[in-house]
Amino acid sequence: MANPYLPLWEYIPDGEPRVFGDRVYIYGSHDRAGSDSFCDWKLKVWSAPLDNLNDWTCHGDIFHTKDDRDHKSATSEWTERELFAPDVVEKDGKYYLYAYIIGAVGCVAVSDRPEGPFELISRYKYDFPKGSVGECGWFIDPGVLVDDDGRVYIFCGYERSFAAELNPDNMYEVIDGTYIEDIIPPGQEPDDFFEACSPRKVGDTYYLIYSPRKGNRLAYATSKSPLGPYTRRGYIVDNGVDYPAGNDHGSICQINGQWYIFYHRMTNGTIMSRRACAEKISFEPDGTIKPVEMTSLGFENSLSPYKITPAEIACVLKGGCFVTELDTFTRKIVGITDGCIIGYKYFDFGDDYSSKTMEFEASTNGCGCDCDVTIKIDNWDESGDEIGTFHVGLSGGIVKTIVKKVTGVHSVYFIVKDVYGSGWTANMFKGRQLFELNAFVFKK
Ligand code: FUB
């Protein structure tokens, strides 16, 4: 599956990937298309078999903080607020959901199955020191680690992190005296802690994935002991590079021997409509992880240029254009103005040298303008190779052109130029929307 890897109408940010049995589950918050606030009053879960990451199944709603037509709230006695980033861990054959409820003390719920539904066990029980970061009880962005010796740790925080050990017999009670503040040691930008703690153990090293204060990144810190001290190690992925930026939240997971970073990216012209994405990562011999770029690949090794590419899987959107959902079935790139750049990484064009040209077709909606779109591979600037141009007229539609034949693996960029948007008319036409892009395909 390419990025975003869930069906394109689904908005699951803050994804915590967890392998249980022979499936990988993604536990995240639930955003709504084009919403102007984060999250929802429900959590959903999706999973895929480990041997087929193209086959995601939705298991439906797993927890509610408000009644809806089909579900009862699990928390009606004390809160009706939205559910933010959760986590789920397995302990002794049971699955525990750590729910972060905005403005309220979060809670722990349990199920016999990873796909839920989850039943409330209790709100957290804790006795934090007066004035401590944890005392407010928000348990923001809980990330939980069940260590190999059966001990259980919870990591939380917004602007300042904290961690504590949980009683493994009930999974919701913080063991007195275990609370530690600033588990991610305060430091300097760019990797100072902001939010989104997610613990993982890899070999004998503890990794804390988190979102740093600056940028739209997922960074990480490591330690040889679950409660630290942790050392900040830099960032893994940045969802705001040449793309509408927002926050970031996710974690690492090994699936069939391959490690991935799961994260989210923004759509619909808001930072509150986020979709689940993943990139391959690898560990260096010293345990560090090199930063990876944001791509359209997801779990794929490459995309086929000869299959129709929905415009919305772009991983480069520069100049103000963005993905918009019109309805469940229809999404496109809008806000395309003079100078916008739309890019996709990476297509495998194959090794067929039999002709010098290929056909290219794009599905567009016109906006009553005239523009030329340069098609480049490998980069959008002068270092990229220009392979052709297509023109979008007043009413758009299916536009066709002949481009230079390409072989091998390349990124593809569309660089937009308003035909009347330069010279003395530039100011008159500045910022007008030129067309909308639905999809495109190359034909051999
Ligand atoms: O999804 C709501 C909030 O945005 C999460 O709790 C944060 O980590 C950030 O992703």
Side-chain angles (χ1 to χ4, degrees):
M1 226 61 178
N3 274 333
Y5 61 85
L6 293 178
L8 294 169
W9 46 262
E10 180 62 289
Y11 299 86
I12 304 284
D14 307 326
E16 283 285 350
R18 294 286 187 184
V19 172
F20 295 131
D22 57 3
R23 297 183 76 83
V24 56
Y25 293 81
I26 192 83
Y27 300 97
S29 321
H30 184 253
D31 275 355
R32 292 153 292 150
S35 176
D36 58 3
S37 58
F38 286 123
C39 302
D40 203 343
W41 289 263
K42 65 180 176 188
L43 300 174
K44 294 167 81 171
V45 65
W46 287 77
S47 78
L50 296 180
D51 58 4
N52 188 0
L53 298 176
N54 286 324
D55 185 17
W56 288 86
T57 299
C58 180
H59 300 285
D61 296 11
I62 58 169
F63 198 73
H64 277 248
T65 49
K66 228 185 203 180
D67 292 346
D68 71 10
R69 196 189 56 191
D70 303 319
H71 307 88
K72 280 269 164 228
S73 160
T75 61
S76 50
E77 289 186 3
W78 47 284
T79 182
E80 280 212 328
R81 293 297 307 274
E82 298 92 321
L83 284 150
F84 276 22
D87 195 10
V88 171
V89 290
E90 190 260 337
K91 175 99 176 66
D92 302 329
K94 290 206 181 298
Y95 300 86
Y96 294 89
L97 166 72
Y98 289 80
Y100 163 27
I101 305 168
I102 187 77
V105 175
C107 62
V108 186
V110 70
S111 175
D112 291 333
R113 297 169 306 173
E115 68 270 27
F118 290 82
E119 263 183 44
L120 180 68
I121 318 178
S122 174
R123 297 162 77 173
Y124 299 105
K125 239 187 170 173
Y126 59 93
D127 190 10
F128 290 145
K130 276 254 163 307
S132 63
V133 185
E135 199 209 350
C136 68
W138 273 39
F139 285 81
I140 291 168
D141 292 345
V144 179
L145 178 91
V146 179
D147 210 344
D148 304 330
D149 58 5
R151 292 170 76 175
V152 183
Y153 304 91
I154 186 163
F155 301 82
C156 302
Y158 171 72
E159 295 195 323
R160 286 184 64 192
S161 55
F162 69 91
E165 189 169 346
L166 294 176
N167 180 346
D169 295 332
N170 60 33
M171 299 296 274
Y172 58 81
E173 184 186 10
V174 174
I175 297 175
D176 281 351
T178 62
Y179 169 79
I180 294 182
E181 275 182 4
D182 296 322
I183 189 80
I184 307 279
Q188 297 295 309
E189 288 182 349
D191 56 354
D192 200 7
F193 175 78
F194 185 58
E195 60 183 4
C197 270
S198 175
R200 292 290 184 275
K201 190 174 184 184
V202 182
D204 64 351
T205 305
Y206 297 86
Y207 286 73
L208 265 183
I209 317 300
Y210 67 96
S211 172
R213 195 177 290 273
K214 184 152 167 105
N216 321 280
R217 295 177 167 179
L218 286 181
Y220 70 111
T222 60
S223 174
K224 287 292 174 197
S225 140
L227 290 179
Y230 279 85
T231 307
R232 287 178 281 117
R233 299 277 180 200
Y235 82 98
I236 304 174
V237 74
D238 186 335
N239 72 17
V241 176
D242 304 324
Y243 199 88
N247 58 27
D248 211 345
H249 189 140
S251 199
I252 57 173
C253 186
Q254 191 182 32
I255 304 170
N256 278 339
Q258 172 66 56
W259 282 94
Y260 295 90
I261 178 95
F262 287 72
Y263 66 105
H264 59 233
R265 63 171 76 141
M266 312 299 140
T267 56
N268 293 308
T270 158
I271 62 163
M272 288 139 175
S273 200
R274 301 159 293 173
R275 297 197 294 187
C277 294
E279 307 291 347
K280 290 187 175 134
I281 56 167
S282 54
F283 287 83
E284 299 298 304
D286 65 357
T288 56
I289 305 168
K290 283 221 175 88
V292 290
E293 59 178 358
M294 189 165 77
T295 72
S296 306
L297 291 176
F299 305 112
E300 305 291 341
N301 292 324
S302 60
L303 306 173
S304 170
Y306 311 117
K307 290 186 181 155
I308 294 173
T309 299
E312 61 183 301
I313 70 164
C315 59
V316 172
L317 289 173
K318 277 166 75 73
C321 50
F322 58 93
V323 174
T324 269
E325 174 167 319
L326 293 186
D327 55 54
T328 309
F329 301 104
T330 327
R331 284 160 307 274
K332 52 192 182 178
I333 296 179
V334 298
I336 302 176
T337 56
D338 184 47
C340 276
I341 299 169
I342 301 168
Y344 302 81
K345 300 170 185 176
Y346 288 94
F347 288 108
D348 186 352
F349 286 87
D351 55 5
D352 174 6
Y353 295 91
S354 59
S355 75
K356 289 209 161 63
T357 59
M358 299 183 292
E359 289 173 45
F360 171 88
E361 289 186 18
S363 161
T364 69
N365 307 317
C367 296
C369 301
D370 251 336
C371 66
D372 286 330
V373 182
T374 306
I375 309 173
K376 281 192 171 187
I377 56 168
D378 301 335
N379 212 337
W380 61 77
D381 63 16
E382 44 308 326
S383 67
D385 187 9
E386 183 173 332
I387 60 167
T389 301
F390 65 93
H391 180 82
V392 188
L394 306 187
S395 50
I398 302 292
V399 296
K400 301 182 182 188
T401 191
I402 302 292
V403 299
K404 220 161 75 178
K405 177 74 193 223
V406 174
T407 55
V409 175
H410 301 273
S411 49
V412 169
Y413 301 94
F414 303 129
I415 301 116
V416 179
K417 179 146 190 56
D418 187 346
V419 171
Y420 299 106
S422 54
W424 67 272
T425 51
N427 277 340
M428 218 158 95
F429 294 126
K430 206 169 174 186
R432 65 180 181 161
Q433 183 164 324
L434 300 170
F435 71 102
E436 299 169 346
L437 184 62
N438 302 316
F440 63 92
V441 68
F442 291 84
K443 292 158 87 179
K444 287 198 250 191

